[in-house]
Coordinates of all heavy atoms in Angstrom, one line a residue:
Y29 N 173.5 129.7 97.8 CA 172.2 129.2 97.6 C 172.2 128.3 96.4 O 172.6 128.9 95.3 CB 171.2 130.3 97.4 CG 171.1 131.3 98.7 CD1 171.9 132.3 98.7 CD2 170.3 131.0 99.7 CE1 172.0 133.2 99.8 CE2 170.2 131.9 100.7 CZ 171.0 133.0 100.8 OH 171.0 133.8 101.9
G41 N 161.8 132.4 95.8 CA 162.1 132.1 97.2 C 163.5 132.3 97.6 O 163.9 133.0 98.5
V42 N 164.4 131.8 96.7 CA 165.9 131.9 97.0 C 166.3 133.4 96.9 O 167.0 133.9 97.7 CB 166.6 131.1 95.9 CG1 168.1 131.5 96.0 CG2 166.5 129.6 96.2
V43 N 165.8 134.1 95.9 CA 166.1 135.6 95.7 C 165.7 136.3 97.0 O 166.5 137.2 97.5 CB 165.3 136.1 94.5 CG1 165.4 137.6 94.5 CG2 166.0 135.6 93.2
Y44 N 164.4 136.0 97.4 CA 163.9 136.8 98.6 C 164.8 136.5 99.9 O 165.1 137.3 100.8 CB 162.6 136.5 98.9 CG 161.6 137.3 98.0 CD1 160.2 137.1 98.0 CD2 162.0 138.3 97.1 CE1 159.3 137.8 97.3 CE2 161.2 139.0 96.3 CZ 159.8 138.8 96.4 OH 158.9 139.5 95.6
L45 N 165.2 135.2 100.1 CA 166.0 134.8 101.2 C 167.3 135.6 101.1 O 167.9 136.2 102.2 CB 166.3 133.3 101.1 CG 165.5 132.4 101.9 CD1 165.9 130.9 101.8 CD2 165.4 132.9 103.4
A46 N 168.0 135.6 99.9 CA 169.3 136.2 99.7 C 169.2 137.7 100.1 O 170.1 138.4 100.7 CB 169.9 136.0 98.5
D47 N 168.2 138.3 99.6 CA 167.9 139.8 99.9 C 167.7 140.0 101.3 O 168.3 141.1 101.8 CB 166.7 140.2 99.0 CG 166.3 141.6 99.3 OD1 167.1 142.5 98.8 OD2 165.2 141.9 99.9
H48 N 167.0 139.3 102.0 CA 166.7 139.4 103.4 C 168.0 139.3 104.2 O 168.2 140.2 105.1 CB 165.7 138.4 103.9 CG 165.4 138.6 105.4 ND1 164.5 139.4 105.9 CD2 165.8 137.9 106.5 CE1 164.4 139.4 107.2 NE2 165.2 138.4 107.6
V49 N 168.7 138.3 103.9 CA 170.0 138.1 104.7 C 171.0 139.3 104.4 O 171.6 139.9 105.3 CB 170.7 136.9 104.2 CG1 172.2 136.8 104.8 CG2 169.9 135.7 104.8
H50 N 171.0 139.8 103.1 CA 171.9 141.0 102.9 C 171.5 142.2 103.6 O 172.3 143.0 104.1 CB 171.9 141.2 101.4 CG 172.7 142.5 101.0 ND1 174.1 142.5 101.1 CD2 172.3 143.6 100.5 CE1 174.5 143.7 100.6 NE2 173.4 144.4 100.3
K51 N 170.2 142.4 103.8 CA 169.7 143.6 104.6 C 170.0 143.5 106.1 O 170.3 144.5 106.7 CB 168.2 143.9 104.3 CG 167.9 144.3 102.9 CD 166.4 144.2 102.6 CE 166.1 144.7 101.2 NZ 164.8 144.4 100.7
C52 N 170.0 142.3 106.6 CA 170.3 142.0 108.0 C 171.8 141.9 108.3 O 172.3 142.4 109.3 CB 169.6 140.8 108.6 SG 167.8 140.8 108.5
F53 N 172.5 141.4 107.3 CA 174.0 141.1 107.5 C 174.7 141.5 106.2 O 175.2 140.7 105.4 CB 174.3 139.6 107.7 CG 173.4 139.0 108.9 CD1 172.2 138.5 108.7 CD2 173.9 139.1 110.1 CE1 171.4 137.9 109.6 CE2 173.3 138.5 111.3 CZ 171.9 137.9 110.9
P54 N 174.9 142.8 106.0 CA 175.5 143.3 104.7 C 176.9 142.8 104.6 O 177.4 142.8 103.4 CB 175.4 144.8 104.9 CG 175.1 145.1 106.3 CD 174.4 143.9 106.8
Q58 N 177.4 136.3 99.7 CA 176.4 135.4 99.1 C 176.5 135.2 97.6 O 176.9 136.1 97.0 CB 175.0 135.9 99.4 CG 174.8 136.1 101.0 CD 173.2 136.4 101.2 OE1 172.4 135.6 101.6 NE2 172.9 137.7 100.9
G193 N 162.2 130.7 105.6 CA 163.5 130.4 106.1 C 164.2 131.6 106.7 O 165.4 131.5 107.2
E194 N 163.7 132.9 106.6 CA 164.4 134.0 106.9 C 164.9 134.0 108.4 O 166.1 134.4 108.6 CB 163.5 135.3 106.7 CG 163.4 135.7 105.2 CD 162.2 135.1 104.6 OE1 161.6 134.1 105.1 OE2 161.8 135.5 103.4
T195 N 164.0 133.9 109.3 CA 164.4 133.8 110.7 C 165.3 132.7 111.0 O 166.2 132.9 112.0 CB 163.2 133.9 111.7 OG1 162.4 132.8 111.4 CG2 162.4 135.1 111.4
L196 N 165.2 131.6 110.4 CA 166.2 130.5 110.7 C 167.6 130.9 110.3 O 168.5 130.7 111.0 CB 165.7 129.2 109.9 CG 166.7 128.0 109.9 CD1 167.1 127.6 111.2 CD2 166.2 126.9 108.9
L197 N 167.7 131.5 109.1 CA 169.0 131.9 108.6 C 169.6 133.0 109.5 O 170.9 133.0 109.8 CB 169.0 132.3 107.2 CG 168.8 131.3 106.2 CD1 169.0 131.9 104.7 CD2 169.6 130.1 106.3
E198 N 168.8 133.9 110.0 CA 169.2 134.9 110.9 C 169.9 134.4 112.2 O 171.0 134.7 112.5 CB 168.0 135.8 111.4 CG 167.6 136.9 110.3 CD 166.5 137.8 110.9 OE1 166.6 138.2 112.1 OE2 165.5 138.1 110.2
K199 N 169.2 133.4 112.7 CA 169.7 132.7 114.0 C 171.0 131.9 113.7 O 171.9 131.9 114.5 CB 168.6 131.9 114.7 CG 167.6 132.6 115.3 CD 166.5 131.9 116.0 CE 165.4 132.8 116.6 NZ 164.4 131.9 117.2
L201 N 173.2 132.6 111.4 CA 174.3 133.5 111.3 C 174.7 134.2 112.6 O 175.9 134.7 112.7 CB 173.9 134.6 110.2 CG 173.8 134.0 108.8 CD1 173.2 135.0 107.8 CD2 175.2 133.6 108.2
R202 N 173.8 134.4 113.5 CA 174.1 135.0 114.7 C 174.7 134.0 115.7 O 175.1 134.3 116.9 CB 172.9 135.7 115.4 CG 172.4 136.9 114.6 CD 171.4 137.7 115.4 NE 170.9 138.8 114.6 CZ 169.8 138.9 114.1 NH1 168.9 137.9 114.2 NH2 169.4 140.0 113.4
I228 N 156.9 133.2 111.8 CA 157.0 134.5 112.5 C 157.0 135.6 111.4 O 157.7 135.6 110.4 CB 158.5 134.5 113.2 CG1 158.5 133.4 114.2 CG2 158.8 136.0 113.7 CD1 160.0 133.2 114.8
P229 N 156.1 136.5 111.6 CA 156.0 137.6 110.5 C 157.2 138.4 110.4 O 157.9 138.7 111.4 CB 154.8 138.5 111.0 CG 154.1 137.6 112.0 CD 155.1 136.7 112.6
I230 N 157.7 138.8 109.2 CA 158.8 139.7 109.0 C 158.3 140.8 108.2 O 157.3 140.7 107.4 CB 159.9 138.9 108.2 CG1 159.5 138.4 106.9 CG2 160.5 137.8 109.1 CD1 160.7 138.0 106.0
E231 N 159.0 141.9 108.3 CA 158.7 143.1 107.5 C 159.4 142.9 106.2 O 160.6 142.8 106.1 CB 159.3 144.4 108.3 CG 159.0 145.7 107.6 CD 157.4 146.1 107.7 OE1 156.9 145.6 108.6 OE2 157.0 146.8 106.7
K232 N 158.6 143.0 105.1 CA 159.1 142.7 103.8 C 159.2 144.0 103.1 O 158.2 144.9 103.0 CB 158.2 141.9 103.0 CG 158.5 141.6 101.5 CD 159.7 140.6 101.5 CE 160.0 140.3 100.1 NZ 160.6 141.4 99.2
S233 N 160.4 144.4 102.6 CA 160.7 145.6 101.7 C 161.1 145.2 100.4 O 161.3 144.0 100.1 CB 161.9 146.4 102.4 OG 163.0 145.7 102.5
A234 N 161.1 146.1 99.5 CA 161.5 145.8 98.1 C 162.8 145.0 97.9 O 163.8 145.5 98.5 CB 161.5 147.1 97.3
C235 N 162.8 144.0 97.2 CA 164.0 143.3 96.9 C 165.0 144.2 96.2 O 164.7 145.0 95.3 CB 163.7 142.1 95.9 SG 165.1 141.0 95.6
D236 N 166.3 144.2 96.6 CA 167.3 145.1 96.0 C 168.0 144.3 94.8 O 168.8 143.5 95.0 CB 168.4 145.4 97.1 CG 169.5 146.2 96.6 OD1 169.5 146.5 95.4 OD2 170.4 146.6 97.3
Y239 N 171.8 144.4 94.0 CA 172.5 143.5 94.8 C 172.3 142.1 94.1 O 173.3 141.4 94.0 CB 172.1 143.5 96.3 CG 172.7 142.3 97.0 CD1 174.1 142.4 97.3 CD2 172.0 141.2 97.5 CE1 174.7 141.3 98.0 CE2 172.6 140.2 98.1 CZ 174.0 140.3 98.4 OH 174.6 139.2 99.1
I240 N 171.1 141.7 94.0 CA 170.8 140.4 93.4 C 171.6 140.1 92.1 O 172.2 139.1 91.9 CB 169.3 140.1 93.3 CG1 168.6 140.1 94.6 CG2 169.0 138.8 92.5 CD1 169.1 139.1 95.6
R264 N 151.9 137.1 102.0 CA 152.0 135.6 102.4 C 151.0 135.2 103.2 O 150.4 136.0 104.0 CB 153.4 135.5 103.2 CG 154.7 135.7 102.3 CD 155.9 135.5 103.1 NE 157.1 135.6 102.2 CZ 158.4 135.5 102.7 NH1 158.6 135.3 104.0 NH2 159.4 135.6 102.0

Side-chain angles (χ1 to χ4, degrees):
Y29 302 88
V42 168
V43 167
Y44 281 174
L45 266 181
D47 175 69
H48 179 82
V49 168
H50 178 63
K51 288 167 179 169
C52 295
F53 307 93
Q58 301 185 100
E194 284 91 343
T195 56
L196 170 61
L197 290 189
E198 283 185 40
K199 289 184 177 179
L201 290 168
R202 292 193 181 107
I228 298 172
I230 62 167
E231 183 71 25
K232 179 74 174 66
S233 58
C235 184
D236 180 356
Y239 172 73
I240 295 299
R264 290 180 178 178

